[in-house]
Amino acid sequence: MSNRNKFLIGAFFIAAAVVYLIFSATKASAQYFLTVNELLARKSEFVGKNVRISGAVLGKTIHYDPQTLELRFTIAHVPGDNKVVEAQGGLEKVLHEAVNDPNRAHLDVVYHGPRPDLLKNEAQAIITGHLGNDGVFYADELLLKCPSHYEDAVPNQAQSSPSNNNQ
Amino acid sequence: MLAHIGYGALWLAFLLSLYAIGTAFYGAQRHKPAWAESARRAALLVWPMLTLVAVSIIALLLTNQFQIEFVTSVTSREMPLYLKITALWGGQAGSLIFWSWLMATFTFALMLRSWARDREFLPWVIIVTMVTLAFFLGLSLFVENPFARLWATANGHIVKAMFRPAGAMPFTPQDGNGLNPLLRHPGMILHPPFLYSGFVAFVIPYAFAMASLITGRTDARWIRLTRRWSLAAWLFLSLGLILGMRWSYDVLGWGGYWGWDPVEVAALLPWLSGTAFLHSVMIQEKEELLKHWNMVLIILTYALVIFGTFLTRSGVLSSVHAFAQSSIGPLFFAFIGITFTISLYLLMRRWNALKSDLKIESLLSREALFTFNNLVFMGIVVVAFWGVIFPILSELVTGQKVTVGPPFYQKATGPLFALLLLLMGIAPLSAWGYASARRLKKLLIVPLTLSLLTVAGLAALGVRSVWALLGFWLVALTGFVTIGEFVRGVRARMRRGESPFTAFVRLLARNRRRYGGYIVHLGVIVMAAGIIGTQFFATQTQATVPQGGKITLGRYAMTYDGLQEFFARDGRHVARAIVSVYKDGQKVGTVHPRRDFYVDSQQPMTIPGVRSTWLDDFYVILVDWQPISVEGATFKVYRQPLVNWIWMGALIFILGTLVAAWPEPDPEAAKRPSPRRARRAAKAATP
């Protein structure tokens, strides 16, 4: 066999290994990103499967036991599509409405571990874990976002009279 | 006033870059060097203009000009001076200006060099750098203007605009929002400048590559001219990544240093393709092979640099790095698409001119192993790129958002990184041109034996994980081969009567590229040991304990001795725990994990207390506490074995890059062709 062919075979093996690694790793670790409505609508399909969900935290439902490190709270459905969120007036407004709308779908969440800094009323929770047979979502990982904390486009709470300095 | 000066300078810089593009193009088309010279001067002028822009933004930040939207969004009154200056790259608009300023700085340095031998490249290098710069300046002018100010409209809304909207009144908030406290850390202050410098410096080899394709001067000249730019870009990018890791470890309080966050991956991608590029250009210089491949790599690196900036700045992916959602996404996408297509078209046009009559002669030759190394690097690029775009792709195709997390990257890149380590171990032993398996075996025996002994020793010490042992074996093998290279070199010199020390110094000084490269390899090996240690052997626990209570983790234990609460002068409320650390029952130190609460931004921040040694780090996080009750406090405790090796490896790595990049005393030495090529040349000369 010529060196060129041997070389091509070597290259082919590397390429094949890369393709195999991508497919097997994707299959093993792909995670559906769902809204509360989607998860509840396809309950049977997703029970026990590792998924990622997002929702608005209901502040009154947060219960934390520092002895057992058990954290329980409830989230309300929020739309998953950024465009829909923007169309409804931005994330902050959408979260506020989700929390105060009694007709929204709710989901109870249990998590074991430290209470995250940003867990509070009307925060957006992005939760990785699985839905149990009891209808409770068992979280392995919590990610919280408070839309008001990062780079506000406009400081709406700043109280100041219009001024003409520095013109 | 200041804002208007800055805004004017920004426009001037933009117009100058457009002028440089136009005149350079005309000069190149009509072969009029005077026009190219005019373009060069315009390109030189861009830098002082952009410096003026950057200085005026910094002045606005320092003087609390809160009527400027950008100033309000990233500073507040009580922030210290240095943070107000570095807030320049703390927000979207300012960081784009900073990117442009770095680009202009590098171009300025480039324009000042002597172009006598490379006149034909000049106009095209100007065009490529100025097009890139003009794109970023356009974004700043038309989309993310850092000088836009706040206005109160007639119906009570606050809007941002450069000029007064009809019926609006100027609006000045009392105080700004302040920089996100997570970004107030030395690592975070230096991380973006290094990363951006790395990004920007890769534009220069790309510009020369394009100039080489356009002019048809397709020899290795463009590679020699830009070797040090590539090395500098690579060094900056490496430093940026390492500082980011260190910041993550020190500040984010999750016990780790690399989370495969999409934005981290976006910064890693150009580093990977750049590393492949640095290796494969050596083959072109020595053997005149892989000319197409080098072009592909530099084009890809440029595209990934813009892609990386795009991911960090567009808010397409949610991550700790993302700034607020912005409209600049589609523009970036269009720019990447257009430049990538044009680059590939130029490459196709010169495809035949780049063909080489030489072939790889042996599978074990150094050029063959380098090529395999390149393929593996590209494999990792493909894997990582797939991980980043998979959520977007899956949503486009199935309408369902599916993400892949860190396990995907670990599973898919782990074996490829291991293969890279192996190739790194063998390649230095093989020769250019032709290498025999017998010679290779002979050279491998000693390192192989030593590495197997190391693994046996580790197994005897109780390491049981097969994968970890395999990893350590690769690390040991590659480490011994690399050290062996130094020993062989020093011995050869000692036979000529040099003392060991002189022999070592001269070995390094006379072959900077080669031994500098080996030092970099040693750094990578030390880092690899650290990564294996933390990946396979990290342990953690968490508990709530009363004052005086104890938490045990392996051979370590900690006691909660007390808590202090106080207000710091910069507006933080600090809760600081006093924790004693014990190892095997002996007290080994005291650490102070703490929680800072930034009152102005209502943001808490968790700073770990770390007891650090060469063997492992004992890392304590204060999770929660009850101020006046007996319940005590909750701690999360990690043991991170060998994590210090990562930082140590990084230092060796930087040192090696500096050795490799140091100017050669004899510039022709670097260009010496391999013996094979010299023989061929001699044969060709005597028909």
Side-chain angles (χ1 to χ4, degrees), chain B residues 339-526:
Chain B
T339 52
F340 196 66
T341 314
I342 294 176
S343 312
L344 287 186
Y345 164 74
L346 291 171
L347 176 58
M348 289 303 155
R349 224 172 49 132
R350 297 282 175 205
W351 194 262
N352 287 329
L354 288 169
K355 274 196 177 142
S356 163
D357 54 333
L358 293 159
K359 273 206 239 41
I360 289 181
E361 284 179 11
S362 155
L363 262 192
L364 292 173
S365 67
R366 197 177 282 189
E367 56 268 30
L369 294 174
F370 266 48
T371 311
F372 282 127
N373 136 308
N374 263 249
L375 290 175
V376 179
F377 266 116
M378 280 304 103
I380 300 175
V381 168
V382 172
V383 167
F385 188 70
W386 173 262
V388 171
I389 60 159
F390 183 68
I392 303 168
L393 271 186
S394 72
E395 200 176 6
L396 275 178
V397 176
T398 64
Q400 187 76 67
K401 220 180 218 172
V402 187
T403 59
V404 288
F408 164 79
Y409 293 100
Q410 283 159 5
K411 272 182 204 145
T413 61
L416 296 174
F417 276 119
L419 192 56
L420 268 186
L421 263 183
L422 183 67
L423 284 170
M424 198 168 99
I426 304 173
L429 297 178
S430 77
W432 295 107
Y434 184 76
S436 77
R438 256 177 62 197
R439 182 170 170 273
L440 210 58
K441 269 184 210 153
K442 211 178 109 194
L443 287 168
L444 264 174
I445 283 177
V446 177
L448 194 62
T449 318
L450 288 172
S451 65
L452 288 173
L453 286 174
T454 312
V455 170
L458 286 170
L461 281 172
V463 177
R464 285 290 169 267
S465 158
V466 177
W467 294 113
L469 284 175
L470 184 72
F472 281 129
W473 172 68
L474 283 172
V475 164
L477 175 69
T478 311
F480 285 124
V481 168
T482 314
I483 294 168
E485 283 298 294
F486 281 97
V487 173
R488 274 207 298 162
V490 169
R491 270 207 195 140
R493 286 194 159 265
M494 279 166 70
R495 259 177 248 129
R496 284 188 245 157
E498 289 177 6
S499 74
F501 179 75
T502 333
F504 180 74
V505 171
R506 286 201 183 147
L507 183 73
L508 241 63
R510 300 274 157 86
N511 311 276
R512 285 177 191 154
R513 295 180 63 169
R514 180 168 178 175
Y515 289 96
Y518 289 160
I519 296 174
V520 173
H521 282 188
L522 280 178
V524 172
I525 291 159
V526 173

Side-chain angles (χ1 to χ4, degrees), chain A residues 3 33 66 114 117 160 166-167, chain B residues 67 149 172 361 544 595 623:
Chain A
N3 270 314
F33 200 169
D117 296 333
S160 164
N166 206 54
Q167 277 297 294
Chain B
Q67 75 276 18
R149 53 161 307 165
T172 308
E361 284 179 11
T544 304
R595 287 264 288 219
V623 175

Side-chain angles (χ1 to χ4, degrees), chain B residues 102-419:
Chain B
L102 283 171
M103 179 82 231
T105 310
F106 285 158
T107 316
F108 187 76
L110 190 65
M111 290 299 128
L112 285 179
R113 70 183 288 278
S114 157
W115 286 86
R117 285 178 66 194
D118 315 290
R119 271 285 150 199
E120 70 267 45
F121 283 165
L122 177 63
W124 301 107
V125 169
I126 292 175
I127 289 172
V128 175
T129 50
M130 288 296 126
V131 163
T132 311
L133 188 59
F135 169 69
F136 277 90
L137 293 178
L139 285 181
S140 291
L141 275 175
F142 304 115
V143 191
E144 290 286 345
N145 184 356
F147 298 109
R149 53 161 307 165
L150 293 165
W151 305 88
T153 58
N155 49 13
H157 286 296
I158 307 291
V159 296
K160 72 167 181 173
M162 189 62 214
F163 299 103
R164 181 195 293 260
M169 297 289 282
F171 173 78
T172 308
Q174 289 294 315
D175 199 356
N177 297 350
L179 192 65
N180 188 331
L182 289 175
L183 303 180
R184 302 177 191 184
H185 174 268
M188 214 358 91
I189 287 161
L190 292 172
H191 161 77
F194 276 115
L195 207 59
Y196 281 13
S197 299
F199 277 4
V200 165
F202 265 125
V203 175
I204 286 159
Y206 167 77
F208 275 91
M210 291 303 105
S212 154
L213 285 178
I214 295 165
T215 56
R217 188 177 167 187
T218 50
D219 59 355
R221 176 74 182 156
W222 72 274
I223 289 173
R224 280 189 207 110
L225 282 174
T226 57
R227 194 182 86 89
R228 259 195 266 136
W229 284 103
S230 309
L231 270 177
W234 189 69
L235 178 64
F236 283 135
L237 206 49
S238 311
L239 277 169
L241 287 167
I242 290 160
L243 284 168
M245 285 157 76
R246 185 73 213 206
W247 168 73
S248 173
Y249 188 71
D250 284 350
V251 172
L252 289 188
W254 59 287
Y257 50 84
W258 186 264
W260 293 105
D261 178 286
V263 176
E264 287 170 9
V265 178
L268 183 68
L269 283 170
W271 185 87
L272 289 167
S273 64
T275 313
F277 175 74
L278 281 180
H279 284 95
S280 74
V281 291
M282 283 189 243
I283 309 179
Q284 182 168 350
E285 279 184 82
K286 290 270 183 193
E287 299 282 338
E288 291 192 352
L289 289 164
L290 301 183
K291 290 181 189 169
H292 302 103
W293 180 246
N294 287 330
M295 285 290 173
V296 170
L297 281 180
I298 195 66
I299 291 169
L300 195 64
T301 306
Y302 176 76
L304 289 173
V305 159
I306 308 290
F307 181 70
T309 317
F310 156 66
L311 276 191
T312 16
R313 295 293 157 256
S314 65
V316 165
L317 299 156
S318 57
S319 100
V320 284
H321 298 72
F323 291 138
Q325 201 94 16
S326 155
S327 49
I328 61 179
L331 295 169
F332 263 103
F333 208 63
F335 184 73
I336 295 171
I338 292 168
T339 52
F340 196 66
T341 314
I342 294 176
S343 312
L344 287 186
Y345 164 74
L346 291 171
L347 176 58
M348 289 303 155
R349 224 172 49 132
R350 297 282 175 205
W351 194 262
N352 287 329
L354 288 169
K355 274 196 177 142
S356 163
D357 54 333
L358 293 159
K359 273 206 239 41
I360 289 181
E361 284 179 11
S362 155
L363 262 192
L364 292 173
S365 67
R366 197 177 282 189
E367 56 268 30
L369 294 174
F370 266 48
T371 311
F372 282 127
N373 136 308
N374 263 249
L375 290 175
V376 179
F377 266 116
M378 280 304 103
I380 300 175
V381 168
V382 172
V383 167
F385 188 70
W386 173 262
V388 171
I389 60 159
F390 183 68
I392 303 168
L393 271 186
S394 72
E395 200 176 6
L396 275 178
V397 176
T398 64
Q400 187 76 67
K401 220 180 218 172
V402 187
T403 59
V404 288
F408 164 79
Y409 293 100
Q410 283 159 5
K411 272 182 204 145
T413 61
L416 296 174
F417 276 119
L419 192 56

Side-chain angles (χ1 to χ4, degrees), chain A residues 3-4 6-7 10-11 14 17-18 21-26 28-34 38 42 52 64 66-67 69 80-82 86 111-115 117-118 120 126 145 149-167, chain B residues 1 65 67 69 72-73 91-92 149 158 169-174 177 180 318 323-325 360-363 368 371-372 375-376 379 382-383 386 390 400-405 407-408 411-412 415-416 542 544 595 601-604 606 623-624 626 631 634 636:
Chain A
N3 270 314
R4 189 182 162 77
K6 274 194 214 163
F7 188 79
I14 292 177
V18 169
L21 284 168
I22 287 180
F23 274 94
S24 64
T26 306
S29 58
Q31 243 173 16
Y32 278 86
F33 200 169
L34 303 166
E38 283 167 337
R42 295 155 75 183
R52 217 167 197 219
Y64 185 56
Q67 288 303 314
L69 299 176
D81 195 341
N82 270 334
E86 288 306 316
Y111 173 74
H112 286 270
R115 181 185 166 148
D117 296 333
L118 297 175
K120 55 181 89 163
I126 296 167
K145 275 192 190 170
H149 277 165
Y150 297 94
E151 237 194 58
D152 259 353
V154 171
N156 41 17
Q157 76 277 39
Q159 302 215 331
S160 164
S161 55
S163 64
N164 273 307
N165 58 355
N166 206 54
Q167 277 297 294
Chain B
M1 186 59 209
Q65 307 282 327
Q67 75 276 18
E69 192 271 339
T72 298
S73 68
Q92 172 109 291
R149 53 161 307 165
I158 307 291
M169 297 289 282
F171 173 78
T172 308
Q174 289 294 315
N177 297 350
N180 188 331
S318 57
F323 291 138
Q325 201 94 16
I360 289 181
E361 284 179 11
S362 155
L363 262 192
T371 311
F372 282 127
L375 290 175
V376 179
V382 172
V383 167
W386 173 262
F390 183 68
Q400 187 76 67
K401 220 180 218 172
V402 187
T403 59
V404 288
F408 164 79
K411 272 182 204 145
L416 296 174
Q542 60 189 29
T544 304
R595 287 264 288 219
S601 51
Q602 293 285 302
Q603 163 98 16
T606 309
V623 175
D624 200 6
Q626 309 291 328
E631 281 184 67
T634 308
K636 201 158 181 169

